[in-house]
Amino acid sequence: MSTHAQIGVTGLAVMGRNLARNFARNGYTVAVHNRTASKTRELVEEFGGEGEFVPAETAKEFVESLERPRRLVIMVKAGEPTDAVIEEFAPLLEPGDMIIDGGNAHFADTRRRERDLREQGIHFVGTGISGGEEGALHGPSIMPGGSVESYDSLGPMLEKISAKADDGAPCVTHVGPDGAGHFVKMVHNGIEYADMQLIGEAYQLLRDVAGYSPAEIADIFRTWNQGRLDSYLIEITAEVLSHVDAETGKPFVDVVVDQAEQKGTGRWTVQIALDLGVPVSAIAEAVFARSVSGHAELREASRHLAGPSARTLGKEEAAAFADQVEQALYASKIVSYTQGFHQIATGSEEYDWDIDLGKVAAIWRGGCIIRAAFLDRITRAYEAQPGLPSLLADEGFADEIAAAQDDWRSVIATAVAQGVPTPAFAATLAYYDSLRAPRLPAALTQGQRDYFGAHTYHRTDRDGAFHTLWGGDRAEVSA
Ligand code: NBP
């Protein structure tokens, strides 16, 4: 067995297979392996002509076919399968070798695996990969964590196979140590949930309030895609909405069961945000909205509940309303990304990752599901002010929201008046208004907490913690 493969991929389902082909198409010799060996043979039979593959039936053969230090990519189902594969391969590796986990692992698992393998001298590189199977083949957005040393070895290869942004920059960067890559991928997916929910709410308003058909709404999204909302998700939204079911002749969107599923990365984002104390209300509402949609019995039992009388707009009014919805969608999107980047900044601080937020925005410009012209703006905002405390502190974004806010408020007011659920639109506006409010009812909350639990409070006019003797003479004492 010659030892000349520059990289190996084990786990040859859709993602692994396409990633292996991407490496091979870019001139690398790729060792390929799968638990079920027939998949390895199929890959070489079908795509062997695309480049140089070294098929291996056993773990030992696979490891021996790799040049040193070895670069071994795992693309198996996240969770126990990843641990099983590590257990199988780690004993065959040597200090300096690298295991790259490209699955959607939880970053805490990645931190554990990285720590364990470091003791053996093996670099464990938890790597977020976004773009689905097409991205894996033609160029994904890649978010590697792990050591600087491993990135020195892997970086050039990843840059070659990654997507390229419009300015030609590869959509990959060393995100930070241990679990930083998988953390950033997790938040990426959370933001993706929020983007999809906001688009969904815009669609529902255009349908229920403006009275447009799915085909007409597809055209509106196509127009929006020419402007500041230009993005992959808006583009595919138009495609899905204009699609007609071949069997019934009805709009495709009307024959699909309206219960959204999820694989869990959105839920993780919200769980971790709660642990970190970061308000990511847009992502949370998106996760909850999918959950509500799935409660079929609850929805069935609630159909009789009273709502407002509906009023569909006239033609001219509808066109004006569509323009307002675009403003609302854009303003909500700014807030949703503000929250997502806040979560990354907080995670980075908590785990000492030193993540460059501008670079994260830059590598999301191509290849991944949330790729959008908008990300260029975020990159520039962080480049101009690396210490930007919040995207809303960027003058450009603040000005855009200021210009959009009347329409944003009006759209949400209309949604409420007409009984169209817009939880993510409303949550993002509430976040915005909470941040700008001179006073929040949190002062009252503190008073209540002190009343029933003597939890103490701080005063606006002097330092220290205080407690009021609520059950007595209501004198204030220092706590
Ligand atoms: P799947 O997530 O469906 O996993 C299938 C692969 O895992 C097969 O190669 C299977 O081998 C292998 N596997 C399993 Br299951 N248990 C194993 C075990 N105990 N030992 C060894 N191998 C095992 O594949 P996928 O959809 O290609 O995704 C791969 C990874 O990439 C996942 O972590 C996923 O979350 C992530 N990801 C997917 C996407 C996407 O769009 N699909 C996007 C981004 C990231 P077998 O053939 O022998 O059963």
Side-chain angles (χ1 to χ4, degrees):
M1 167 76 56
S2 61
T3 57
H4 66 291
Q6 288 139 305
I7 195 147
V9 180
T10 182
L12 301 174
V14 284
M15 289 296 286
R17 188 165 91 143
N18 281 358
L19 205 65
R21 290 173 60 198
N22 189 349
F23 276 116
R25 286 166 161 205
N26 275 288
Y28 295 110
T29 302
V30 189
V32 281
H33 171 268
N34 192 67
R35 179 180 62 176
T36 311
S38 57
K39 271 196 198 154
T40 313
R41 289 192 290 271
E42 277 163 30
L43 165 60
V44 177
E45 270 163 33
E46 235 178 294
F47 304 106
E50 291 184 354
E52 203 177 334
F53 294 100
V54 184
E57 298 247 335
T58 67
K60 189 164 176 292
E61 249 177 68
F62 179 60
V63 167
E64 284 176 355
S65 69
L66 293 167
E67 68 174 27
R68 290 178 201 173
R70 301 179 179 91
R71 304 179 193 93
L72 190 161
V73 181
I74 303 179
M75 284 306 288
V76 301
K77 199 173 164 66
E80 278 171 23
T82 308
D83 282 319
V85 172
I86 292 171
E87 258 170 52
E88 188 181 5
F89 285 93
L92 306 171
L93 299 178
E94 291 168 308
D97 288 348
M98 289 155 258
I99 296 181
I100 302 105
D101 175 18
N104 270 337
H106 192 292
F107 80 97
D109 285 337
T110 301
R111 282 167 63 79
R112 167 179 57 81
R113 291 166 183 149
E114 196 272 340
R115 203 173 39 238
D116 292 349
L117 287 163
R118 201 182 330 134
E119 280 171 18
Q120 256 184 269
I122 296 169
H123 299 278
F124 185 72
V125 187
T127 302
I129 299 182
S130 177
E133 52 183 300
E134 278 300 296
L137 183 59
H138 299 293
S141 171
I142 312 178
M143 296 151 250
S147 64
V148 173
E149 206 180 330
S150 59
Y151 193 78
D152 286 345
S153 167
L154 275 171
M157 298 177 83
L158 297 180
E159 283 170 20
K160 213 157 178 190
I161 66 148
S162 73
K164 308 294 176 290
D166 284 348
D167 62 4
C171 293
V172 56
T173 189
H174 180 227
V175 175
D178 58 79
H182 275 141
F183 184 94
V184 164
K185 171 66 176 13
M186 174 189 76
V187 178
H188 163 285
N189 285 23
I191 291 175
E192 176 186 311
Y193 272 57
D195 264 347
M196 291 169 71
Q197 176 64 22
L198 290 168
I199 290 172
E201 291 175 17
Y203 153 74
Q204 199 69 48
L205 285 166
L206 293 173
R207 189 108 195 236
D208 292 353
V209 177
Y212 287 121
S213 69
E216 286 170 325
I217 300 171
D219 284 340
I220 292 171
F221 276 103
R222 282 198 186 97
T223 315
W224 290 356
N225 205 37
Q226 305 296 315
R228 58 192 179 170
L229 283 169
D230 173 9
S231 62
Y232 172 70
L233 280 171
I234 295 278
E235 180 190 326
I236 67 163
T237 299
E239 291 305 311
V240 173
L241 287 175
S242 56
H243 184 55
V244 173
D245 176 51
E247 204 179 308
T248 58
K250 289 183 183 165
F252 167 79
V253 74
D254 287 347
V255 298
V256 175
V257 174
D258 60 346
Q259 294 177 29
E261 293 173 16
Q262 46 188 320
K263 281 195 170 168
T265 42
R267 188 171 60 233
W268 286 352
T269 313
V270 178
Q271 283 168 340
I272 301 303
L274 290 173
D275 290 342
L276 291 171
V278 185
V280 289
S281 50
I283 302 171
E285 290 298 352
V287 173
F288 286 142
R290 289 196 192 190
S291 171
V292 168
S293 78
H295 282 284
E297 318 80 19
L298 205 60
R299 291 175 62 194
E300 189 53 44
S302 309
R303 295 226 195 279
H304 67 285
L305 294 175
S309 46
R311 187 179 82 87
T312 307
L313 303 176
K315 213 172 168 193
E316 269 177 32
E317 273 181 313
F321 182 70
D323 289 343
Q324 289 187 312
V325 174
E326 192 268 349
Q327 298 276 4
L329 181 53
Y330 189 68
S332 288
K333 188 178 166 88
I334 293 175
V335 172
S336 164
Y337 279 67
T338 298
Q339 295 179 340
F341 276 87
H342 182 200
Q343 182 165 2
I344 296 174
T346 308
S348 175
E349 225 172 278
E350 173 75 19
Y351 299 106
D352 237 344
W353 284 330
D354 199 21
I355 296 175
D356 182 329
L357 300 179
K359 281 196 178 147
V360 169
I363 66 168
W364 287 349
R365 290 178 303 164
C368 64
I369 305 297
I370 63 170
R371 61 183 180 264
F374 177 69
L375 284 156
D376 232 0
R377 294 281 319 282
I378 299 182
T379 307
R380 278 188 271 123
Y382 281 119
E383 274 171 3
Q385 262 182 283
L388 201 63
S390 154
L391 275 182
L392 291 175
D394 173 74
E395 220 176 290
F397 284 128
D399 287 350
E400 281 181 303
I401 292 206
Q405 71 154 328
D406 285 349
D407 288 335
W408 193 20
R409 293 178 191 285
S410 161
V411 164
I412 292 166
T414 302
V416 172
Q418 300 251 28
V420 180
T422 50
F425 272 5
T428 46
L429 177 58
Y431 175 88
Y432 176 77
D433 281 336
S434 297
L435 289 189
R436 27 163 243 101
R439 295 280 296 160
L440 288 170
L444 173 59
T445 308
Q446 284 299 85
Q448 293 162 330
R449 294 179 69 247
D450 191 57
Y451 190 105
F452 65 69
H455 292 302
T456 75
Y457 52 87
H458 297 285
R459 294 183 58 98
T460 55
D461 52 2
R462 56 182 196 271
D463 288 342
F466 300 92
H467 168 58
T468 290
L469 303 170
W470 296 102
D473 63 359
R474 302 207 165 177
E476 184 174 78
V477 292
S478 281

